[in-house]
């Protein structure tokens, strides 16, 4: 999944409003549909998609945060910032 995350993340970083791809990554991680259930990664991708204008990602991020500890949310936010700093 890490390779897929990089590919989609790289594609989204090119601009053009690819927040839907980022939202899909969040869905992948929060459902485990690609074999990896990871709420921290899901929150990270929903957060990035939300920052790029995806309103549905905002709702999912909020819902997901209700099932996460404060430490997990902080870790997800840190990962989002790190991803954004390497992309932009």
């Amino acid at each position: 999944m890490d390779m897929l995350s990089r590919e989609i993340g790289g594609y989204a970083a090119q601009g053009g409003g690819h927040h839907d791809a980022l939202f899909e990554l969040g869905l992948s991680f929060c459902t485990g549909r690609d074999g990896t259930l990871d709420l921290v990664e899901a929150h990270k991708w929903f957060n990035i998609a939300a920052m790029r204008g995806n309103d549905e990602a905002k709702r999912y991020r909020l819902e997901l945060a209700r099932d996460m500890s404060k430490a997990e949310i902080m870790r997800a936010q840190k990962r989002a910032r790190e991803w954004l700093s390497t992309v932009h």
Side-chain angles (χ1 to χ4, degrees):
M1 182 55 135
D2 188 42
M3 182 62 117
L4 177 61
S5 297
R6 281 190 295 238
E7 287 176 19
I8 292 176
Y11 178 69
Q14 294 173 8
H18 300 296
H19 56 270
D20 289 336
L22 299 169
F23 176 74
E24 286 296 321
L25 268 176
L27 283 178
S28 248
F29 280 107
C30 81
T31 62
R33 71 178 176 203
D34 290 326
T36 304
L37 178 65
D38 187 335
L39 299 185
V40 172
E41 279 296 302
H43 189 284
K44 173 184 105 174
W45 292 114
F46 287 144
N47 196 23
I48 294 167
M51 286 189 280
R52 300 223 172 161
N54 186 310
D55 289 333
E56 196 170 6
K58 292 175 188 176
R59 289 189 296 277
Y60 274 71
R61 179 185 60 192
L62 178 63
E63 205 171 301
L64 195 60
R66 292 179 182 143
D67 294 328
M68 297 171 67
S69 69
K70 289 182 182 180
E72 289 172 320
I73 294 168
M74 289 173 55
R75 200 164 54 244
Q77 291 171 337
K78 181 181 180 199
R79 289 182 188 177
R81 285 190 304 271
E82 289 171 348
W83 185 84
L84 289 167
S85 73
T86 62
V87 172
H88 291 287

